[in-house]
Amino acid sequence: MCELDDLISLKGMVFYGYHGVNDSEKQDGQSFVVDVDLGLNLHNAGQTDLLRDTIDYSAVYKIVENIMKGPSKNLLEHLAEIVADAILKEWRMNYVIVQIAKPNVQIRDAVLQGTSVRIRRFNS
């Protein structure tokens, strides 16, 4: 991550989906919480005050929503990779960080608030 990068963050996007390795997760579904950080230069947008010089948050949200509400996947890692790839294909930016959490994960004989995966992918 470059210190000169500006950042757009979408935090706490909640979606209900049917992802997971266990049959119960695929059948009953559960909530997922997604955070996305977009690293890019926002100087032009700060000067012009025009949407065309930045990234439309609602468009990012829609991409994440379509993936999280889409076909079932086994792993959070795979979902995060799909989200990162889709965002990087849509906009020019230096990097994207995607975190996906299962706040109500059920692991036998374990007490924990949840699990999450966070990845950082760079624009090639």
mmCIF file of all heavy atoms in Angstrom, residues 12-30:
data_model
loop_
_atom_site.group_PDB
_atom_site.id
_atom_site.type_symbol
_atom_site.label_atom_id
_atom_site.label_comp_id
_atom_site.label_asym_id
_atom_site.label_seq_id
_atom_site.Cartn_x
_atom_site.Cartn_y
_atom_site.Cartn_z
ATOM 1 N N GLY A 12 -19.290 -2.417 6.489
ATOM 2 C CA GLY A 12 -20.471 -3.003 7.109
ATOM 3 C C GLY A 12 -21.623 -3.295 6.172
ATOM 4 O O GLY A 12 -22.780 -3.216 6.588
ATOM 5 N N MET A 13 -21.333 -3.650 4.927
ATOM 6 C CA MET A 13 -22.414 -4.050 4.004
ATOM 7 C C MET A 13 -22.885 -5.442 4.423
ATOM 8 O O MET A 13 -22.085 -6.375 4.499
ATOM 9 C CB MET A 13 -21.904 -4.073 2.557
ATOM 10 C CG MET A 13 -21.479 -2.727 2.026
ATOM 11 S SD MET A 13 -20.854 -2.823 0.320
ATOM 12 C CE MET A 13 -19.178 -3.382 0.619
ATOM 13 N N VAL A 14 -24.159 -5.583 4.723
ATOM 14 C CA VAL A 14 -24.696 -6.848 5.224
ATOM 15 C C VAL A 14 -25.577 -7.491 4.157
ATOM 16 O O VAL A 14 -26.470 -6.841 3.605
ATOM 17 C CB VAL A 14 -25.510 -6.632 6.524
ATOM 18 C CG1 VAL A 14 -26.069 -7.957 7.030
ATOM 19 C CG2 VAL A 14 -24.646 -5.968 7.593
ATOM 20 N N PHE A 15 -25.290 -8.775 3.898
ATOM 21 C CA PHE A 15 -26.048 -9.533 2.901
ATOM 22 C C PHE A 15 -26.378 -10.901 3.463
ATOM 23 O O PHE A 15 -25.601 -11.467 4.234
ATOM 24 C CB PHE A 15 -25.231 -9.717 1.614
ATOM 25 C CG PHE A 15 -24.742 -8.431 1.031
ATOM 26 C CD1 PHE A 15 -23.441 -8.019 1.228
ATOM 27 C CD2 PHE A 15 -25.595 -7.619 0.296
ATOM 28 C CE1 PHE A 15 -22.980 -6.814 0.701
ATOM 29 C CE2 PHE A 15 -25.148 -6.415 -0.229
ATOM 30 C CZ PHE A 15 -23.836 -6.021 -0.034
ATOM 31 N N TYR A 16 -27.514 -11.419 3.055
ATOM 32 C CA TYR A 16 -27.889 -12.781 3.419
ATOM 33 C C TYR A 16 -27.556 -13.662 2.235
ATOM 34 O O TYR A 16 -27.956 -13.377 1.107
ATOM 35 C CB TYR A 16 -29.379 -12.866 3.771
ATOM 36 C CG TYR A 16 -29.708 -14.082 4.577
ATOM 37 C CD1 TYR A 16 -29.564 -14.061 5.959
ATOM 38 C CD2 TYR A 16 -30.129 -15.254 3.967
ATOM 39 C CE1 TYR A 16 -29.855 -15.181 6.720
ATOM 40 C CE2 TYR A 16 -30.417 -16.376 4.720
ATOM 41 C CZ TYR A 16 -30.282 -16.342 6.098
ATOM 42 O OH TYR A 16 -30.550 -17.447 6.852
ATOM 43 N N GLY A 17 -26.788 -14.720 2.487
ATOM 44 C CA GLY A 17 -26.381 -15.598 1.400
ATOM 45 C C GLY A 17 -26.306 -17.044 1.841
ATOM 46 O O GLY A 17 -26.501 -17.365 3.016
ATOM 47 N N TYR A 18 -25.991 -17.894 0.901
ATOM 48 C CA TYR A 18 -26.003 -19.343 1.120
ATOM 49 C C TYR A 18 -24.621 -19.940 0.841
ATOM 50 O O TYR A 18 -24.477 -20.928 0.140
ATOM 51 C CB TYR A 18 -27.086 -19.980 0.246
ATOM 52 C CG TYR A 18 -28.450 -19.497 0.634
ATOM 53 C CD1 TYR A 18 -28.970 -18.329 0.091
ATOM 54 C CD2 TYR A 18 -29.194 -20.162 1.594
ATOM 55 C CE1 TYR A 18 -30.217 -17.853 0.471
ATOM 56 C CE2 TYR A 18 -30.443 -19.691 1.992
ATOM 57 C CZ TYR A 18 -30.941 -18.534 1.420
ATOM 58 O OH TYR A 18 -32.166 -18.057 1.814
ATOM 59 N N HIS A 19 -23.611 -19.325 1.405
ATOM 60 C CA HIS A 19 -22.233 -19.733 1.175
ATOM 61 C C HIS A 19 -21.708 -20.499 2.378
ATOM 62 O O HIS A 19 -22.060 -20.210 3.506
ATOM 63 C CB HIS A 19 -21.353 -18.505 0.929
ATOM 64 C CG HIS A 19 -21.926 -17.561 -0.088
ATOM 65 N ND1 HIS A 19 -21.984 -17.864 -1.425
ATOM 66 C CD2 HIS A 19 -22.483 -16.340 0.051
ATOM 67 C CE1 HIS A 19 -22.550 -16.851 -2.075
ATOM 68 N NE2 HIS A 19 -22.859 -15.914 -1.190
ATOM 69 N N GLY A 20 -20.843 -21.464 2.110
ATOM 70 C CA GLY A 20 -20.205 -22.228 3.175
ATOM 71 C C GLY A 20 -19.975 -23.649 2.742
ATOM 72 O O GLY A 20 -20.514 -24.117 1.729
ATOM 73 N N VAL A 21 -19.187 -24.347 3.514
ATOM 74 C CA VAL A 21 -18.842 -25.729 3.214
ATOM 75 C C VAL A 21 -19.929 -26.687 3.696
ATOM 76 O O VAL A 21 -20.228 -27.685 3.049
ATOM 77 C CB VAL A 21 -17.475 -26.085 3.848
ATOM 78 C CG1 VAL A 21 -17.148 -27.552 3.669
ATOM 79 C CG2 VAL A 21 -16.381 -25.216 3.240
ATOM 80 N N ASN A 22 -20.547 -26.359 4.827
ATOM 81 C CA ASN A 22 -21.546 -27.258 5.419
ATOM 82 C C ASN A 22 -22.887 -27.173 4.688
ATOM 83 O O ASN A 22 -23.290 -26.099 4.232
ATOM 84 C CB ASN A 22 -21.749 -26.915 6.896
ATOM 85 C CG ASN A 22 -20.472 -27.079 7.690
ATOM 86 O OD1 ASN A 22 -19.695 -27.998 7.462
ATOM 87 N ND2 ASN A 22 -20.242 -26.178 8.623
ATOM 88 N N ASP A 23 -23.555 -28.307 4.629
ATOM 89 C CA ASP A 23 -24.877 -28.359 3.986
ATOM 90 C C ASP A 23 -25.852 -27.379 4.627
ATOM 91 O O ASP A 23 -26.648 -26.755 3.936
ATOM 92 C CB ASP A 23 -25.454 -29.780 4.043
ATOM 93 C CG ASP A 23 -24.723 -30.752 3.124
ATOM 94 O OD1 ASP A 23 -24.058 -30.288 2.166
ATOM 95 O OD2 ASP A 23 -24.806 -31.973 3.372
ATOM 96 N N SER A 24 -25.796 -27.253 5.959
ATOM 97 C CA SER A 24 -26.720 -26.350 6.652
ATOM 98 C C SER A 24 -26.511 -24.901 6.220
ATOM 99 O O SER A 24 -27.461 -24.129 6.120
ATOM 100 C CB SER A 24 -26.579 -26.485 8.163
ATOM 101 O OG SER A 24 -25.277 -26.103 8.576
ATOM 102 N N GLU A 25 -25.265 -24.515 5.944
ATOM 103 C CA GLU A 25 -24.987 -23.155 5.490
ATOM 104 C C GLU A 25 -25.581 -22.919 4.098
ATOM 105 O O GLU A 25 -26.112 -21.853 3.816
ATOM 106 C CB GLU A 25 -23.474 -22.904 5.447
ATOM 107 C CG GLU A 25 -22.819 -22.912 6.813
ATOM 108 C CD GLU A 25 -21.313 -22.792 6.715
ATOM 109 O OE1 GLU A 25 -20.671 -23.672 6.110
ATOM 110 O OE2 GLU A 25 -20.786 -21.802 7.253
ATOM 111 N N LYS A 26 -25.464 -23.909 3.254
ATOM 112 C CA LYS A 26 -25.981 -23.783 1.890
ATOM 113 C C LYS A 26 -27.512 -23.835 1.864
ATOM 114 O O LYS A 26 -28.137 -23.221 1.018
ATOM 115 C CB LYS A 26 -25.407 -24.887 1.009
ATOM 116 C CG LYS A 26 -23.925 -24.726 0.739
ATOM 117 C CD LYS A 26 -23.423 -25.814 -0.178
ATOM 118 C CE LYS A 26 -21.959 -25.682 -0.472
ATOM 119 N NZ LYS A 26 -21.547 -24.436 -1.095
ATOM 120 N N GLN A 27 -28.095 -24.539 2.805
ATOM 121 C CA GLN A 27 -29.547 -24.699 2.837
ATOM 122 C C GLN A 27 -30.250 -23.578 3.602
ATOM 123 O O GLN A 27 -31.222 -23.003 3.118
ATOM 124 C CB GLN A 27 -29.889 -26.043 3.468
ATOM 125 C CG GLN A 27 -31.334 -26.437 3.319
ATOM 126 C CD GLN A 27 -31.537 -27.870 3.779
ATOM 127 O OE1 GLN A 27 -31.052 -28.266 4.838
ATOM 128 N NE2 GLN A 27 -32.247 -28.634 2.977
ATOM 129 N N ASP A 28 -29.747 -23.249 4.787
ATOM 130 C CA ASP A 28 -30.397 -22.260 5.647
ATOM 131 C C ASP A 28 -29.914 -20.841 5.393
ATOM 132 O O ASP A 28 -30.638 -19.889 5.665
ATOM 133 C CB ASP A 28 -30.178 -22.605 7.121
ATOM 134 C CG ASP A 28 -30.715 -23.984 7.475
ATOM 135 O OD1 ASP A 28 -31.636 -24.461 6.790
ATOM 136 O OD2 ASP A 28 -30.188 -24.589 8.434
ATOM 137 N N GLY A 29 -28.682 -20.698 4.939
ATOM 138 C CA GLY A 29 -28.114 -19.378 4.716
ATOM 139 C C GLY A 29 -27.708 -18.698 6.011
ATOM 140 O O GLY A 29 -27.941 -19.207 7.110
ATOM 141 N N GLN A 30 -27.098 -17.520 5.867
ATOM 142 C CA GLN A 30 -26.649 -16.744 7.014
ATOM 143 C C GLN A 30 -26.264 -15.349 6.549
ATOM 144 O O GLN A 30 -26.171 -15.089 5.351
ATOM 145 C CB GLN A 30 -25.457 -17.411 7.694
ATOM 146 C CG GLN A 30 -24.239 -17.558 6.796
ATOM 147 C CD GLN A 30 -23.193 -18.452 7.417
ATOM 148 O OE1 GLN A 30 -22.764 -18.192 8.539
ATOM 149 N NE2 GLN A 30 -22.800 -19.496 6.719
#
